[in-house]
Every structure is written in structure tokens, then in C-alpha cells.
Amino acid sequence: MANALLRRHMAKDLSFSQLAWGAWRLRNSTDIKNADDILALIRACLDAGITTFDHADIYGGYGCEAYFGEALAKAPELRHQMEIITKCDISLVNTARPDHRINHYNTTKPHILQSVENSLASLGIDHIDLLMIHRPDPLMVADEVAETFSQLRQSGKVGHFGVSNFKPSQFNLLQSRLDAPLITNQVECSVLELAPIFNGTFDQMQQHRIHPMIWSPLGGARLFTDTDDVCANRLRPVLEHMRDKYDLPGIAEVAIAWLLHLPSQVIPVLGTMKAHRIADATKSCNVTFERQDWFEILVAAQGHPVP
Amino acid sequence: MANALLRRHMAKDLSFSQLAWGAWRLRNSTDIKNADDILALIRACLDAGITTFDHADIYGGYGCEAYFGEALAKAPELRHQMEIITKCDISLVNTARPDHRINHYNTTKPHILQSVENSLASLGIDHIDLLMIHRPDPLMVADEVAETFSQLRQSGKVGHFGVSNFKPSQFNLLQSRLDAPLITNQVECSVLELAPIFNGTFDQMQQHRIHPMIWSPLGGARLFTDTDDVCANRLRPVLEHMRDKYDLPGIAEVAIAWLLHLPSQVIPVLGTMKAHRIADATKSCNVTFERQDWFEILVAAQGHPVP
Amino acid sequence: MANALLRRHMAKDLSFSQLAWGAWRLRNSTDIKNADDILALIRACLDAGITTFDHADIYGGYGCEAYFGEALAKAPELRHQMEIITKCDISLVNTARPDHRINHYNTTKPHILQSVENSLASLGIDHIDLLMIHRPDPLMVADEVAETFSQLRQSGKVGHFGVSNFKPSQFNLLQSRLDAPLITNQVECSVLELAPIFNGTFDQMQQHRIHPMIWSPLGGARLFTDTDDVCANRLRPVLEHMRDKYDLPGIAEVAIAWLLHLPSQVIPVLGTMKAHRIADATKSCNVTFERQDWFEILVAAQGHPVP
């Protein structure tokens, strides 16, 4: 099964696994009690062919990177089998950041440099494979970000750069100042959040041959349980039908497989903390939907036939 | 009158008439009882200077192309006096397509190639002047479409390519893969549908010196009859005033003339099946509105003064 | 104080002051009773370092330019200390334009040329530093505007060109035809009108290193007085807090300073007719907000935390 995962070409010297694993729930999951549990999960990912690990400084109240780093310190040889992503810029009110009075963004050079130092120290690594600007900052001085990226690359601390939640115009602005391509834009997309499919975001990505990363690829718990959500209720029987037709473990795998058919060749970030779900998720990569089945899911998601 | 129609330069070796005729109502019009009626209509178009005939595989439940082809077979010499357009990609649930379970889109190479073969056979011709992707397909692999277009052009089966209902980002994506320009984007526009004038679609077309084609240039029957439609009711007296002022046959011709003033130099596709309406419509091309009259119609269409 | 105003580089041979003064209220202000009052205001601007004066043919019912010109005639030596901007294209129903039946736009060559002649004569000058298209004209033939600009530049009557209220697609269209860069896009922006910060307008400006000009930088009187305006009411206490914290004369200066922090380096156009307000406004240029204070104002303006 693991061998079924494709590699996504991200840059001349970097590829990601077709699915990534994301740390944002690492500190509030009952499945993870200590660093050993994390290590087991890391091994489950690697065994399944998932080599790409997605972090952000803010995840878990500025705590997930260090927690993950604690696990990685127990098996440092694994570092060379994985790609590590982290993000900067969002600045949250949190006891770990006593000088923050209000949630805000910060793309200044001092903030980005400090954020990278923190992430390297917390993760216990000396190189970040991909650093992202986490959210568009209305105060972003693109020249300053470009200079900062340049310095981080030259120092060897960061290999590549990307963005998250950027609109096409924001992507174009930052890209215009860089001497290397942004290698991805991580955005929200799922059967419950179709916006980037239709608002130009994925068109831009396909045009520039960039693989988008996808956060919240299941659209949250409401796909599975919320009986008041009209859209989720409309989708559930269709996804269940496809689960049975394509012999998938659950509707989560149908929803992930549906994303994997997008022509921009996205990389969904899985948020599960359960090893068996990791193995299940990789089955999403083995499916080729009939085109009409993909549209049946789209129509259920939109609530109307295609025009 | 016919001589009044301008030619629109579409490509080095292709021009269209300023007005096109569209077949989408061919099979559900009481005015057309047989192929001879169609032939009469074709001659009326050609006599009026309308040489551009717009089809799609799906029109009339996948039946209009063959019906038109039957007429054309009676006077094959007319083929060389006309430009023939058709479209592919939309896939409808229809008895003619028993494998279709749901309306969907299909921009794969096998589908496009088969669709072109069907269109050539139905129309009884060996060359399509312009082939369009009928609607943006969220699964479109631009590289695959480009390769398909290339093959179709090399085989001599299709001369030029375009799109329909594409947003600027979708247009840019596909164009980025092609070795020849897309020669048009056929979109809906009328006094009842102003979107492409203001959402960037026509800006993009003018920038690239591409003539948009316009479907539903009258906005449907409600412009003439629907008394519950606030917008149509507001427009009707203004259009009637302009009809009288500019000595036009009816408000349809005012509405078409209004479109012809757009600086992207659009090509409205006429849906009428009546020969006398064809002759009437060409009178739209002879009018030059006073600028303030054009804005009077715009203001009636928008329901508020310009800002 | 005056020395604190930065210069904005607009073109190789043109710079503007960081704040501009706008004439649009010149004829309906009780503070201005005659040309001497205008002259005093001009001197107050120049003393404060504000050298950029923003006009439009239509301001004050086609009357402000002549009123300003009357003042300038009293001290013609001041012309060389100032940059004069004016605009064309909007065509208003007004006794000064008896042939106007409806408010409309006009970007034809004859209209623009005549408008420039009128502006030169009214202002009593022989050179306009910057001429803008005042609003996007749906009938704009970009080639014709380009030819007109070219002629105006060659004649020496206009030095540079810009636009106002243009969307990115409209800006790109016109720019594509010009042999020199558009040097600005004057749009509405304030704590009560955030659109250009998020809709791509300022992204485009920063990308092209163009300084936007800002009209209505205070959002009108409701920021100060309207107690029914939910947004203004939410903003007022925050602005008052910042006024005290940064020792500014009033919340107007806070609102202007907030705009000056935008990374596209905007040029707000002040509408005040009071000399002491001019001096006050320049204090906006001396402030550097803490980043979190800037976001506190943004959050009050939006009514929700940043995502």
C-alpha cells in the first residue's frame, strides 16, 4: 500500500509525499499522551509512505513543534527520511507570547528570523525544508520578505518558501520580488469548502505548475456527525455510496480521493492522530474515480447540477 | 444592408461576421419543420452577410448538428461561404448518450477527439473552423487539452480553438499551455446580464485583442414579455424610445446594437429561426448611438446612475 | 513639522508630497469666501510641506479649477512649488454642460483633449503634472486613450497619466497600451472602506511599485458624528485611545496615520478647507504605530478578529 503514494515534485531538490501529515492537533488529542506516542505515529506515517510533516509555530499554543521535536530526538535518524514544513507570521495572544495583546500578523524581517530560530530550536533540527507565510499580512512589505527569505536560504536554515491562504494577487505580489519560485500555497479545500476550485486559486497553481497543499481536507467533524448541516447531510449518502463502490475504508477516504483528482495535484494534510487512520488514508491514493462519480460528489457538495 | 456587416478579424486566416447565427433552438422551433427550412434560413443568413454559424454537440439533445448537416448536404457549395463553430465538453444525460448518468464536463483527450469526430460526421464537413471548450471543467488538465488541440490542428480537422464561459484565470491557465492564441471566449451578456462588462472578462479580451462572442444577447424572452421582471420592465420603455429614435425594427435590435458598441467588439450570436428577423438584426450594425443614449440604457439596466 | 513629510517618487521627473490636498469641497465650504482665502490655504499647504494639489474638471459643478486658478493668478510664482493634478472623463448633468442629459463617462479623444484645454484655461496654467481618467468607462477604447495620452505628452500639456477607481483588470488593460507607466490609481480607502486593501488593488500597486492616492481618507463625516453607524461607533473609542497614546491632535490624524502605514505607501488626499487642520494633518506623518495598534484599529474596522 505504502508504495502506492506518489511523490510530488516541489522543486529541483525537493519532493513531498502525495499526502502530508499535520501537527495542528498534536497537543489536544487523547490519542497522544507522550513523545513515544508521537514517535509511533511518525513511524506509521513513514511506513505508509507519508514523509512530509506540516507544522506551524502557533500550533498547539506555540507548543506542537517542541512536542514533536521531543519525539524526533528519540530517533534522530528519522530526520533524513522526512520533509519538515513550518510556518510563521500569525501572532497569537498566548501565555507563550506575553507581549501579544491582540491576534495579528507579522511579516517583518525580525519576526520571521526569530520565528525560524524558535522553530529550529523547538523541532531540534538545523534545516527547515519549507517555510510558509501563514496568512496574508496587510502590512506585508514584499521587498522585506524577499530579503529575509534570501538571508534564510543563504544561511542554510530554510530550503524553500511558500505561502498559505494567499489570494492570487497576494501570491503574485510576493513572487514578483523573489529570485526563486514559491513552491506552494496551502489553502483550505474540501467537499465542504470548494472556493479555491472556482475562485482562481487552483487555476493559478496549475498554471505555474505548483502543487497546492490542502488544510482541513475533510472540512472538519461536521462531515461525519453534524445532522444540522444541510450540505454535509446531502454529501454523506453520496460519499457512503462511493465508499462501497470503490471499496474504501470510510467516507474520509472518499473525500480525500476526491481532492486528489483535482488537476492541480494537491497535497492534502491529514490531521489524524491515529496510526490506523494513516494507513486507511493512503488507500485514497489508489483510487481512480469514474469522472461521473467525481461530478456526483461535486453536485452533492454544491446542491445544484452543473450549469 | 448585408454589406453593412463588418468582419471581425479572429486569426491570421479567419474572420467572422459581426453577427453570428446560433443553432441551439433549431430543433425546438415551430418555424423549422425540415431541412429545407434550415437551408432557407442559412441562405437568409448568408444573404444578410452573416457567415458564422455557431453549434455545439449538445444543442437540441445532441441533434442540431445532424439536422443542420442534412440541410447543408442539399447545398454543399455553401460550406465555403461560411465559418462553422462547434463546442465540446458538456456531457448531458440524454438518450443519445446512454452512458451518461449525470450532467458533467469532460475535457479529456478521448472525449474531445470523439466529440470532434461526431461533430464532423453530423455536420457532414471535414473541417471545423473553431472548436470551443463549452464550460470550464474543474478537472481540466491544461496540458492534456493543449496536446489534444495540437493533434486536432495537425490533422486539419480543427482550424482554431476557443473557450466559452471561462473566467479570466481559467482563460489564462489554458492559454499558458497553447502554442496559438485562443481566439475567443463566448459568454453570456445582454442588457439583462452585465457581468462580463464589469468583472474583468471583457477587459481581458480587449487587452488581448480578442473578440468575445455573446450568447443570449437578448437575455431571453423576459425582455419582451415578462411583466414581473423589474429590470426588464425598467428597460423596455428606454429601449422602445431608442428604437424610435434610431429607426430600428424593434427593441431586440436596440439591445444588439447596444452590445456592438462595447469596445471589445463583441460578436452576438442570434438565436432566431425566422428569416425576417435575421434581416432585421443586421440593422443593429448600422447604428451609432450617441454616447449618452448608450449610458441611458446602461442606467436602466443597472437601476442606478453611474457613480 | 513640515520637514517631516516624505516625498513619494512617482516618476523619474516627478515626486509628490506624502499628503496631497484636494479641491473637491472648495466651492461649498463656508471657510472659503474668496480667492484670498484659497491663496491662504495654498500657502498653508506649502508651508506644511504639502505640494501636491488634486483637482478634477467636475469638482464644484465644474467650478473649482477656475476658483483655484483665480487664487493662483494672485501669486503665480507658487506654481513652481506645486504639482497639479486633474482628472477627466466623468460627464455630469450640470448647467455648465448644457448638452449633458445624463451622468456618464467619456474617454474619447475629443472629450479628453477638450477637458484638458478647459482645465488648463481654468487653472491658468500651461502644464498639468498628472492627468487621471476619473472612473472606468465601459466604453473605453484603450488604444484611443493611449493615442490621446501620447499626443498630450508630446504637446507638453500633460506630464504623466494615471487612473482613479480602476479595478486591476482595467488598470492592466489600459497599461498594456501605454508606452509609459500609469503613475497612480486614486481609490477610496479609509478605516470605513477597506476594500482596496483586500481585493487585490493595493497588491497590484505594490507589485508595480506604484503609490496609490486615497480619496475620502476619513470615510466622510460619519467617523466623527454619526451615532447610528455601527462601524464608526466601534472605531471611535479605539481611534481616541490611539490619539492619546500617540499624542495626535484628533482621530482624523489617527485615521490618516493608519493609512500611511500601508505597504503600498499611499498618498491620502486631504479635503479640509481649514489651515489649522492642514498643520494638524501633517502630524500623521510623524507617527510610527506599534504593529499591534495598527491591527487593533483594523479589527475595530472589520468587527471581527483576524482569522
Side-chain angles (χ1 to χ4, degrees):
Chain A
M1 271 312 154
N3 294 337
L5 258 69
L6 295 176
R7 300 295 298 175
R8 299 292 194 198
H9 175 86
M10 305 301 288
K12 210 168 40 182
D13 57 349
L14 185 68
S15 70
F16 284 171
S17 49
Q18 194 176 9
L19 299 175
W21 176 86
W24 79 94
R25 290 184 187 134
L26 192 59
R27 296 232 310 179
N28 48 2
S29 164
T30 55
D31 296 303
I32 301 293
K33 289 174 212 68
N34 52 47
D36 287 331
D37 288 345
I38 300 174
L39 190 58
L41 199 62
I42 291 175
R43 291 195 195 277
C45 283
L46 293 174
D47 287 348
I50 296 175
T51 62
T52 304
F53 294 80
D54 183 70
H55 290 269
D57 59 338
I58 59 166
Y59 287 164
Y62 294 94
C64 285
E65 288 179 321
Y67 204 12
F68 187 92
E70 194 185 331
L72 193 54
K74 291 171 175 272
E77 73 282 4
L78 297 184
R79 173 66 184 96
H80 306 291
Q81 302 175 39
M82 54 173 67
E83 303 83 44
I84 294 185
I85 300 167
T86 196
K87 314 188 189 77
C88 60
D89 158 38
I90 300 181
S91 300
L92 297 179
V93 175
N94 188 277
T95 51
R97 295 291 182 276
D99 53 330
H100 290 184
R101 295 175 279 114
I102 188 172
N103 289 355
H104 64 286
Y105 305 131
N106 194 337
T107 52
T108 60
K109 188 172 185 179
H111 178 82
I112 294 176
L113 292 180
Q114 184 60 55
S115 190
V116 166
E117 293 303 326
N118 294 346
S119 291
L120 289 171
S122 297
L123 290 160
I125 60 178
D126 58 9
H127 179 77
I128 293 163
D129 293 290
L130 167 60
L131 178 73
M132 287 178 186
I133 303 295
H134 205 154
R135 289 244 175 220
D137 169 14
L139 294 180
M140 179 179 79
V141 177
D143 285 315
E144 181 176 355
V145 175
E147 187 185 303
T148 310
F149 282 2
S150 210
Q151 181 174 326
L152 284 167
R153 192 195 308 266
Q154 279 166 27
S155 70
K157 289 177 182 171
V158 178
H160 295 277
F161 301 91
V163 293
S164 187
N165 306 300
F166 267 43
K167 290 186 179 181
S169 62
Q170 297 160 337
F171 188 97
N172 286 337
L173 163 58
L174 182 54
Q175 183 61 73
S176 75
R177 298 302 198 269
L178 302 178
D179 49 17
L182 292 165
I183 70 167
T184 192
N185 186 6
Q186 184 174 125
V187 297
E188 184 182 7
C189 187
S190 69
V191 287
L192 292 169
E193 174 53 63
L194 305 171
I197 300 176
F198 297 107
N199 71 7
T201 299
F202 286 170
D203 295 329
Q204 181 189 45
M205 295 295 102
Q206 188 184 167
Q207 182 172 340
H208 293 291
R209 301 192 187 282
I210 293 169
H211 300 291
M213 297 185 72
I214 302 293
W215 60 269
S216 207
L218 300 177
R222 67 193 169 110
L223 187 59
F224 303 94
T225 56
D226 187 349
T227 53
D228 286 339
D229 187 301
V230 174
C231 187
N233 289 345
R234 203 170 48 221
L235 273 160
R236 216 172 288 117
V238 177
L239 297 176
E240 286 165 354
H241 170 69
M242 299 303 168
R243 174 198 62 202
D244 297 342
K245 177 169 179 178
Y246 291 97
D247 195 21
L248 285 165
I251 63 171
E253 286 70 38
V254 177
I256 297 290
W258 188 83
L259 291 173
L260 290 173
H261 283 70
L262 288 167
S264 51
Q265 304 182 340
V266 306
I267 301 169
V269 181
L270 307 176
T272 185
M273 298 298 147
K274 296 179 196 293
H276 74 276
R277 288 257 172 89
I278 295 288
D280 280 352
T282 61
K283 293 179 184 156
S284 307
C285 302
N286 299 337
V287 177
T288 303
F289 286 155
E290 289 176 39
R291 177 169 281 260
Q292 294 187 68
D293 288 336
W294 192 91
F295 275 91
E296 204 173 313
I297 295 169
L298 177 68
V299 167
Q302 292 190 309
H304 59 75
V306 300
Chain B
M1 272 311 155
N3 293 337
L5 259 69
L6 294 177
R7 300 296 297 176
R8 298 293 194 198
H9 176 86
M10 305 302 286
K12 209 167 41 181
D13 56 349
L14 186 68
S15 70
F16 284 172
S17 48
Q18 193 176 11
L19 299 175
W21 175 86
W24 79 96
R25 291 185 188 133
L26 192 59
R27 296 231 309 178
N28 48 3
S29 164
T30 55
D31 297 302
I32 301 293
K33 290 174 210 67
N34 51 48
D36 287 330
D37 288 345
I38 300 173
L39 191 57
L41 200 62
I42 291 174
R43 292 195 195 277
C45 284
L46 294 174
D47 287 348
I50 296 175
T51 62
T52 304
F53 294 79
D54 183 70
H55 291 269
D57 59 338
I58 59 166
Y59 288 163
Y62 294 93
C64 284
E65 288 179 323
Y67 204 12
F68 187 91
E70 195 185 329
L72 194 54
K74 290 170 176 272
E77 72 282 3
L78 297 184
R79 172 67 185 96
H80 306 290
Q81 302 176 37
M82 54 174 67
E83 303 82 43
I84 294 184
I85 301 167
T86 195
K87 313 188 190 77
C88 60
D89 160 38
I90 299 181
S91 300
L92 297 179
V93 175
N94 189 277
T95 52
R97 294 292 182 276
D99 54 329
H100 290 183
R101 294 176 280 113
I102 188 172
N103 289 355
H104 64 286
Y105 306 131
N106 194 338
T107 52
T108 61
K109 187 174 186 178
H111 178 82
I112 294 176
L113 292 181
Q114 184 60 57
S115 190
V116 166
E117 293 303 326
N118 294 346
S119 291
L120 289 170
S122 297
L123 290 160
I125 60 178
D126 58 9
H127 178 78
I128 293 163
D129 294 290
L130 167 61
L131 178 73
M132 287 179 187
I133 303 294
H134 205 154
R135 288 243 175 220
D137 170 14
L139 294 180
M140 179 179 78
V141 177
D143 285 315
E144 181 176 355
V145 175
E147 187 186 303
T148 309
F149 282 3
S150 210
Q151 181 175 326
L152 284 167
R153 190 194 309 264
Q154 279 165 27
S155 71
K157 289 176 181 171
V158 178
H160 295 277
F161 300 91
V163 293
S164 186
N165 306 299
F166 267 43
K167 290 185 180 181
S169 62
Q170 297 160 336
F171 189 97
N172 286 338
L173 163 58
L174 183 53
Q175 184 60 72
S176 74
R177 298 302 199 268
L178 303 177
D179 49 17
L182 293 165
I183 70 167
T184 192
N185 186 6
Q186 184 174 124
V187 298
E188 185 182 7
C189 187
S190 69
V191 287
L192 292 170
E193 174 54 63
L194 305 171
I197 300 176
F198 296 107
N199 70 8
T201 298
F202 286 170
D203 295 330
Q204 181 189 46
M205 294 296 101
Q206 188 184 167
Q207 183 172 340
H208 294 291
R209 301 191 187 282
I210 292 169
H211 301 291
M213 297 185 71
I214 302 293
W215 60 269
S216 206
L218 300 177
R222 68 193 170 109
L223 187 60
F224 304 94
T225 57
D226 187 347
T227 52
D228 287 338
D229 187 300
V230 174
C231 186
N233 289 347
R234 201 171 48 221
L235 273 159
R236 215 171 291 119
V238 177
L239 297 176
E240 286 165 354
H241 170 70
M242 299 302 169
R243 174 199 61 202
D244 297 342
K245 176 169 180 180
Y246 292 97
D247 195 21
L248 284 165
I251 63 170
E253 287 69 39
V254 177
I256 298 289
W258 188 82
L259 291 173
L260 291 173
H261 283 70
L262 288 166
S264 50
Q265 303 182 341
V266 306
I267 300 169
V269 181
L270 306 176
T272 185
M273 298 298 147
K274 296 180 196 293
H276 73 275
R277 288 257 172 88
I278 295 288
D280 281 353
T282 61
K283 294 179 183 154
S284 307
C285 303
N286 300 337
V287 177
T288 303
F289 286 154
E290 289 175 39
R291 176 169 281 260
Q292 294 187 69
D293 288 336
W294 193 91
F295 275 90
E296 203 173 314
I297 295 170
L298 176 68
V299 166
Q302 293 190 308
H304 59 76
V306 300
Chain C
M1 272 309 154
N3 295 337
L5 259 69
L6 295 176
R7 300 295 297 175
R8 299 293 194 198
H9 176 85
M10 305 302 287
K12 209 168 39 180
D13 56 349
L14 186 68
S15 69
F16 284 172
S17 49
Q18 193 176 10
L19 299 174
W21 175 87
W24 79 95
R25 291 185 187 133
L26 192 59
R27 296 232 309 177
N28 47 2
S29 164
T30 54
D31 296 302
I32 302 293
K33 290 174 212 69
N34 53 48
D36 287 331
D37 289 343
I38 300 173
L39 191 56
L41 199 62
I42 292 174
R43 292 193 194 277
C45 285
L46 293 174
D47 288 348
I50 296 175
T51 62
T52 305
F53 294 79
D54 183 71
H55 291 269
D57 58 339
I58 59 166
Y59 288 163
Y62 294 93
C64 285
E65 289 179 322
Y67 204 12
F68 186 92
E70 194 186 329
L72 193 55
K74 291 170 175 271
E77 72 282 5
L78 298 184
R79 173 67 185 96
H80 305 291
Q81 302 174 39
M82 52 173 68
E83 303 84 42
I84 294 185
I85 301 167
T86 194
K87 314 187 189 77
C88 59
D89 159 39
I90 299 180
S91 300
L92 298 179
V93 175
N94 189 278
T95 52
R97 294 291 182 277
D99 53 332
H100 290 184
R101 295 175 280 114
I102 188 171
N103 289 356
H104 64 287
Y105 305 131
N106 194 337
T107 51
T108 61
K109 188 173 184 176
H111 178 81
I112 294 176
L113 292 181
Q114 184 59 56
S115 191
V116 166
E117 292 303 327
N118 294 346
S119 291
L120 288 170
S122 297
L123 290 160
I125 59 178
D126 58 9
H127 178 77
I128 293 162
D129 294 290
L130 167 62
L131 177 73
M132 288 179 187
I133 304 294
H134 205 155
R135 289 245 176 217
D137 169 14
L139 294 180
M140 179 180 78
V141 177
D143 285 316
E144 181 176 354
V145 175
E147 187 185 303
T148 310
F149 282 2
S150 210
Q151 182 174 326
L152 285 167
R153 191 195 309 265
Q154 280 165 28
S155 71
K157 289 176 181 170
V158 178
H160 296 276
F161 301 91
V163 292
S164 186
N165 306 299
F166 267 44
K167 290 185 181 183
S169 62
Q170 297 160 336
F171 188 97
N172 286 337
L173 163 58
L174 183 53
Q175 183 61 73
S176 75
R177 297 303 198 269
L178 303 177
D179 49 16
L182 293 166
I183 70 167
T184 192
N185 187 6
Q186 184 174 123
V187 297
E188 184 182 7
C189 188
S190 68
V191 287
L192 292 169
E193 174 54 64
L194 304 172
I197 301 176
F198 296 107
N199 70 8
T201 298
F202 286 169
D203 294 330
Q204 181 189 45
M205 293 296 101
Q206 188 183 166
Q207 182 172 340
H208 293 292
R209 302 191 187 280
I210 293 168
H211 301 292
M213 297 185 72
I214 302 292
W215 60 268
S216 205
L218 301 177
R222 67 192 170 109
L223 187 60
F224 303 94
T225 56
D226 187 347
T227 53
D228 287 340
D229 187 300
V230 174
C231 186
N233 289 347
R234 202 171 47 221
L235 273 160
R236 216 170 290 118
V238 177
L239 297 176
E240 286 165 353
H241 170 70
M242 300 301 169
R243 174 198 62 202
D244 297 342
K245 176 168 178 178
Y246 291 97
D247 195 21
L248 284 165
I251 64 170
E253 287 70 39
V254 177
I256 297 289
W258 188 83
L259 291 172
L260 290 173
H261 283 69
L262 288 166
S264 49
Q265 303 182 341
V266 306
I267 301 168
V269 181
L270 306 176
T272 185
M273 298 298 147
K274 297 179 194 294
H276 73 277
R277 288 257 171 90
I278 295 288
D280 281 352
T282 61
K283 294 179 183 155
S284 308
C285 303
N286 300 337
V287 177
T288 303
F289 285 155
E290 290 175 39
R291 178 169 280 258
Q292 295 187 68
D293 288 336
W294 192 91
F295 275 90
E296 202 174 315
I297 295 170
L298 177 68
V299 166
Q302 293 190 309
H304 61 75
V306 300

